[in-house]
Amino acid sequence: MIGLYRLLTRWWTAFALAASLAMLGAAHAFERFAGLAPCNLCLKQREVFWGAATIALIATLWALVSRASRGTPRIAAFLLAAVFATGAITAGFHAGGELKWWDLPAACAAGGPISLDGLAALALGTGPAPRVAMCDSVVWSFLGLSMAGWNFILSTVLAGFSLLAAKRPKDARAPRHVD
C-alpha cells in the first residue's frame, strides 16, 4: 500500500493527465454518441479539465526530461489542486442549479451559443434546428447523480489527491541512491 502511495504521489501529474483526458473523452463521447448537447456550464467544466491536462502534461514532460530525479514538481501538484478545486466548485454550482437549490445565471437559460450559419440554415429550412441545452435540466443521471454531480465528486477527489501529492513526504519525492 505504501508503494502504491509513493508511486501515485511521485507521478501524480501523469495520473492527473490521464484522469483529465479520460474525463474529456467521456464528455465528448456523451456528446458525440449519446447526442447530449453540452450547456454553458458543461463547457466551463470542460475548460477546467483542458487546463489541468495542460499543466499535467508540461509537468510530466519536465519530470521525464529531468529524468524524474525528484518526481514531478510540487508546484504542479498545487496548481492541479487549485484547478481541480475550481472544477469542483463549478460542477457543484451546476449540480445545485439542476436540483433547484438556487437560480443559475441568465446565460444558462438560453443554452450554448448558436452560430449565424446555424440560424440561416434554420431560416432557409436547409439545416437541422440547433440543439439548445439548458443548464438547469438533467439530461442524464446515474445512481441519482447528474453528470455535474459526478463531476463534482471526481473533481473533489482529484483536488484532494493533488494536495496529497504536493505534501508527500521527502522519501517519496527523492529516491535514495546507495553507492
Side-chain angles (χ1 to χ4, degrees), residues 10 14 23 27 36-38 48 61 65 89 105 111 114 118 120 129 132 139 143 147 150-151 156 159 162 179:
R10 183 159 182 219
M23 291 294 288
L36 302 177
V48 169
L61 289 175
V65 167
I89 291 167
I114 299 173
V132 177
V139 295
L143 298 176
M147 279 193 251
W150 284 108
N151 192 1
T156 302
S162 295
D179 295 323

Side-chain angles (χ1 to χ4, degrees), residues 5 8-20 48-49 51-53 55-56 59 72-88 153-169 173:
Y5 170 76
L8 185 65
T9 57
R10 183 159 182 219
W11 289 103
W12 173 245
T13 55
F15 288 108
L17 175 62
S20 296
V48 169
F49 284 108
I55 292 168
T72 54
R74 294 179 86 180
I75 189 70
F78 278 119
L79 286 172
L80 286 170
V83 170
F84 287 133
T86 301
I153 292 170
L154 292 171
S155 293
T156 302
V157 168
L158 290 170
F161 274 119
S162 295
L163 286 176
L164 282 175
K167 299 297 288 177
R168 66 191 181 267
R173 283 185 306 190

Side-chain angles (χ1 to χ4, degrees), residues 36-88:
L36 302 177
C39 68
N40 285 335
L41 285 175
C42 292
L43 294 174
K44 295 294 181 200
Q45 292 168 62
R46 287 185 194 181
E47 289 174 8
V48 169
F49 284 108
W50 281 113
T54 303
I55 292 168
L57 177 64
I58 291 168
T60 302
L61 289 175
W62 175 260
L64 292 173
V65 167
S66 68
R67 292 185 282 184
S69 61
R70 293 187 53 119
T72 54
R74 294 179 86 180
I75 189 70
F78 278 119
L79 286 172
L80 286 170
V83 170
F84 287 133
T86 301

